Amino acid sequence: MEENDPSGLAAAVLAGERRALARAITLIESSRPDHRERADALLEALLPEAGRSVRLGVSGAPGAGKSTFIEAFGRHLIDAGHRVAVLAVDPSSKRSGGSILGDKTRMEALARDGAAFIRPSPAGTTLGGVARRTREAMLACEAAGFDVVLVETVGVGQSETAVADMVDMFLLLLQPGGGDELQGIKRGIVELADLVLVNKADGELESRARRTAADYEAAIHLLRPSAPGWTVRVQTCSALTGAGIPEAWEAVGAFREALGAGLDERRTRQATAWMWNEVAEGALDALRRDGALRALAGRLEGEVAAGRAAPAAAARRLLTRFLAGS
């Protein structure tokens, strides 16, 4: 297979070749303009075979046990006959841009299973800790035959709407504790959750986990439902013992059944929003590549910092120059 041949790479991905899938995602994640053209051709070839998976987002505060949960959850799904892809978005170093953590080292058993595919990617500067190309990587995994795709995000906060806007269902993992202020969970992310799972419900923490779940279940009814026809569930689980893991998957099935045709409508809205996000990101990329515009942007930043120009007015000047050259 020629490295520069998108059709040959697409055929290998469709045949389920794991190395080809890894190469495809590397191409998709590349920021080089010539790679972007090949990635677009690749995705066009893969798109007819994508879209058939269950797409799940998993988030939670540090210490909630996201990677441990995903490994236990993934192994349960594989035992049930599924093929599982995990797109784990690692924190990026602000200095080097490199990935700091390695999810393959945290999910060793799952990584060794032939029915699983784990891809850690640096979050970069993308809002919500979700790599910009995660959506496209998800399509490649679906085309390769993985029927459950899990997207693990770096942290929590309002910006987690980024992952909620690319998956069918958003799972929020909590650890047994005393409330939002102790776990760093903000109301915004709780409102995004379709399923809340209190992890580490084992040993001495089991009773505390059940109390935490009861507290959240009482509070969550005061929030607007995450999706029409669905009442957000709050359940306990233990990634260590496996307790509650099958019930978590059952909740996913119940959610999809409750949404029915609404699931297709959700994906349609997500695809449209994805297009406009790419328009915005593409415009920024083009602006940064233009030397004259970069120089103008530097001067305008200086004027804004010195208080000689309003930010909105400076932005309009930059956009006017950008559009005049397009």
Side-chain angles (χ1 to χ4, degrees):
M1 179 184 65
E2 289 289 336
E3 285 292 327
N4 294 322
D5 176 22
S7 61
L9 184 56
V13 170
L14 293 172
E17 295 182 20
R18 296 164 62 86
R19 289 185 179 179
L21 177 57
R23 286 197 299 271
I25 294 177
T26 297
L27 177 63
I28 286 168
E29 291 180 339
S30 174
S31 58
R32 282 176 45 176
D34 59 323
H35 285 181
R36 191 65 249 160
E37 292 179 9
R38 287 165 48 203
D40 288 343
L42 171 67
L43 287 164
E44 188 175 339
L46 296 179
L47 198 57
E49 301 303 320
R52 301 190 180 105
S53 79
V54 178
R55 302 171 178 174
L56 301 176
V58 181
S59 192
K66 294 188 294 294
S67 295
T68 310
F69 167 78
I70 288 173
E71 179 164 53
F73 192 59
R75 294 182 71 183
H76 170 74
L77 296 180
I78 289 170
D79 288 344
H82 296 281
R83 299 185 70 217
V84 180
V86 180
L87 301 175
V89 185
D90 283 349
S92 293
S93 166
K94 291 185 178 179
R95 293 186 178 182
S96 67
S99 186
I100 298 171
L101 302 177
D103 277 271
K104 285 191 175 181
T105 64
R106 301 199 300 268
M107 305 178 194
E108 290 183 5
L110 191 61
R112 289 194 300 267
D113 199 303
F117 177 82
I118 299 176
R119 176 72 179 208
S121 300
T125 57
T126 308
L127 181 66
V130 181
R132 179 178 170 186
R133 299 300 175 192
T134 300
R135 292 176 177 87
E136 294 174 347
M138 184 162 52
L139 296 179
C141 290
E142 291 175 338
F146 292 94
D147 61 333
V148 180
V149 180
L150 304 175
V151 181
E152 179 193 4
T153 62
V154 235
V156 297
Q158 292 284 3
S159 58
E160 291 302 273
T161 52
V163 67
D165 286 342
M166 73 171 70
V167 296
D168 302 331
M169 187 177 187
F170 187 78
L171 279 60
L172 175 60
L173 238 65
L174 303 175
Q175 56 184 322
D180 292 357
E181 68 279 3
L182 295 181
Q183 299 195 57
I185 301 291
K186 301 204 180 284
R187 173 173 171 159
I189 193 173
V190 177
E191 289 177 324
L192 293 174
D194 300 304
L195 174 63
V196 176
L197 295 171
V198 182
N199 192 20
K200 305 184 181 182
D202 51 66
E204 295 179 356
L205 292 177
E206 184 173 359
S207 59
R208 189 184 298 179
R210 296 191 184 283
R211 286 197 302 272
T212 301
D215 290 343
Y216 271 90
E217 191 166 17
I220 217 156
H221 293 299
L222 303 175
L223 304 178
R224 185 177 63 182
S226 62
W230 173 253
T231 300
V232 178
R233 295 187 183 183
V234 182
Q235 301 175 188
T236 60
C237 67
S238 169
L240 185 63
T241 67
I245 298 296
E247 289 76 7
W249 178 240
E250 288 171 9
V252 173
F255 174 82
R256 291 172 60 82
E257 185 176 347
L259 258 64
L263 190 57
D264 291 333
E265 294 171 5
R266 172 178 283 204
R267 287 193 175 187
T268 299
R269 289 194 303 271
Q270 289 174 343
T272 304
W274 178 3
M275 183 195 78
W276 283 109
N277 182 70
E278 280 299 306
V279 169
E281 294 283 355
L284 280 174
D285 286 347
L287 189 152
R288 294 184 183 112
R289 288 196 301 268
D290 188 301
L293 285 172
R294 284 203 311 272
L296 175 59
R299 291 196 299 271
L300 290 172
E301 281 183 355
E303 292 181 17
V304 169
R308 294 192 300 271
R316 279 193 294 273
R317 284 177 60 188
L318 190 59
L319 284 171
T320 300
R321 179 73 67 84
F322 175 67
L323 294 173
S326 60

